[in-house]
Amino acid sequence: HDFAPYESIYVMQRDLNAPLPTLPLPPGLTIRRWRMETEAEQDQYLAAFNRCFPGHPKDRATLQFFMQAPMWREGTALSAFNADGVLVASVLVYCDSTLKIGVTDDVFVLPEWRGRGLARYLVNAGLGYLRDRGVERAALEVLASNLPAVHVYEATGHTIVHEEWL
């Protein structure tokens, strides 16, 4: 009673049998696939993530718990580093073997690197990673109010499957 949803998320999917666009890597960056196995790597990732999502910070224990989940076994982070080796953007991709679907998660780009097509590049690279592992469908969830992210996902071929209210 008296429950009123205040926010919604879009559940979006992408058919990985459809061609992936060829996107340019913004200049001055190197893309690295990594699993953040050391605490130093995890701290670097968390510092960048928490800078992008100060209202929803993660700590090392939360990240390590996620990394022990079965779905992360074949997962990876695809991350962009500047010339000084600083992490400036990242996306996590992994497989949910129960649903036989790839998942795109925790997409972020540091504020000073936004607007250069970096999120689109990383999401697209993540889709290629999933497709190379035989996954035929990828999914993600995004706040409906996060229009820049929704536009990135639509530009990489995702479509809204349904909306859920929180």
Side-chain angles (χ1 to χ4, degrees):
H1 299 212
D2 294 332
F3 173 76
Y6 67 95
E7 194 166 31
S8 67
I9 59 169
Y10 291 141
V11 175
M12 301 181 79
Q13 290 189 4
R14 167 70 152 88
D15 177 2
L16 295 180
N17 293 312
L20 295 174
T22 302
L23 300 173
L25 175 64
L29 298 173
T30 302
I31 302 300
R32 190 170 89 201
R33 218 185 295 171
W34 61 323
R35 296 191 37 86
M36 301 174 290
E37 293 170 338
T38 69
E39 288 186 355
E41 290 174 331
Q42 293 165 17
D43 289 345
Q44 182 181 26
Y45 175 85
L46 290 167
F49 178 92
N50 291 338
R51 189 167 159 221
C52 292
F53 299 107
H56 302 284
K58 287 187 183 185
D59 60 20
R60 191 183 307 144
T62 301
L63 180 61
Q64 289 176 344
F65 180 79
F66 165 77
M67 293 171 68
Q68 293 171 12
M71 61 191 165
W72 183 246
R73 266 187 227 129
E74 289 191 46
T76 193
L78 290 160
S79 303
F81 295 84
N82 70 13
D84 296 326
V86 175
L87 174 63
V88 300
S90 190
V91 61
L92 302 181
V93 290
Y94 50 88
C95 302
D96 183 331
S97 57
T98 6
L99 299 175
K100 297 185 179 173
I101 192 167
V103 178
T104 303
D105 205 358
D106 289 355
V107 180
F108 68 81
V109 177
L110 293 181
E112 62 272 22
W113 284 89
R114 292 179 185 161
R116 303 179 197 194
L118 189 47
R120 198 168 11 144
Y121 181 91
L122 287 173
V123 169
N124 192 62
L127 295 172
Y129 176 87
L130 294 169
R131 185 173 63 191
D132 291 347
R133 274 144 194 78
V135 177
E136 294 184 3
R137 190 169 40 112
L140 57 84
E141 294 178 348
V142 61
L143 289 173
S145 61
N146 188 350
L147 293 180
V150 172
H151 292 182
V152 165
Y153 303 139
E154 288 175 333
T156 57
H158 289 82
T159 57
I160 298 170
V161 176
H162 66 275
E163 184 175 13
E164 295 178 3
W165 289 92
L166 306 175

